[in-house]
Amino acid sequence: PQAKIAQGWNFRHADYFSENKRTLYKAFGINFVVNVHGEARKFSFIPTLLNLGAGLALLSVATIICDVVVLYCHKNREYYQDKKYLQVDGEDAFRGFRNFGTGNPAYVEENNGDDL
């Protein structure tokens, strides 16, 4: 009753790993007790898909926000703009659009001089 015991969470325990051999531990500190209360229900795909869709939407919004910050607000924005976008000039800019037809506004009609 008059023994000197440290205040707080304090105990000793041992791990026995062979006969006559053990490791003694003294544990002390603050004991955190976490109580979790909840309700278990049946699994449903609809809330799972809604949460998955909301997570993907937040991920895409985060990508857009990061692009805006880096491309318009950062002090090295020219460097990042050069790395993100490829500037193409001249004939190479429309090389991929030549076979789509005249319905495309970027269509380039090749004129061989036959209609003169």
Side-chain angles (χ1 to χ4, degrees):
Q2 293 297 329
K4 296 197 174 194
I5 299 174
Q7 293 181 352
W9 189 67
N10 184 2
F11 72 96
R12 291 186 173 114
H13 66 96
D15 284 340
Y16 295 93
F17 52 91
S18 71
E19 190 175 327
N20 295 330
K21 293 196 179 192
R22 68 181 181 177
T23 302
L24 238 114
Y25 295 99
K26 180 179 180 185
F28 56 91
I30 300 172
N31 186 15
F32 290 100
V33 178
V34 179
N35 291 325
V36 178
H37 300 280
E39 186 174 314
R41 294 187 179 182
K42 186 177 177 184
F43 178 77
S44 177
F45 279 106
I46 294 173
T48 304
L49 292 176
L50 286 173
N51 286 332
L52 184 65
L56 291 174
L58 286 174
L59 188 64
S60 66
V61 169
T63 303
I64 292 169
I65 290 172
C66 288
D67 280 346
V68 167
V69 168
V70 168
L71 295 174
Y72 299 108
C73 301
H74 199 269
K75 66 180 180 179
N76 295 331
R77 61 181 162 257
E78 291 85 12
Y79 173 76
Y80 292 112
Q81 286 174 353
D82 289 341
K83 294 297 179 187
K84 183 172 174 84
Y85 301 113
L86 175 66
Q87 185 70 28
V88 181
D89 296 325
E91 286 187 25
D92 290 340
F94 297 105
R95 182 178 296 170
F97 295 115
R98 289 191 178 167
N99 298 327
F100 284 121
T102 57
N104 189 343
Y107 177 72
V108 177
E109 180 94 28
E110 291 197 25
N111 190 356
N112 296 333
D114 296 335
D115 55 348
L116 293 176

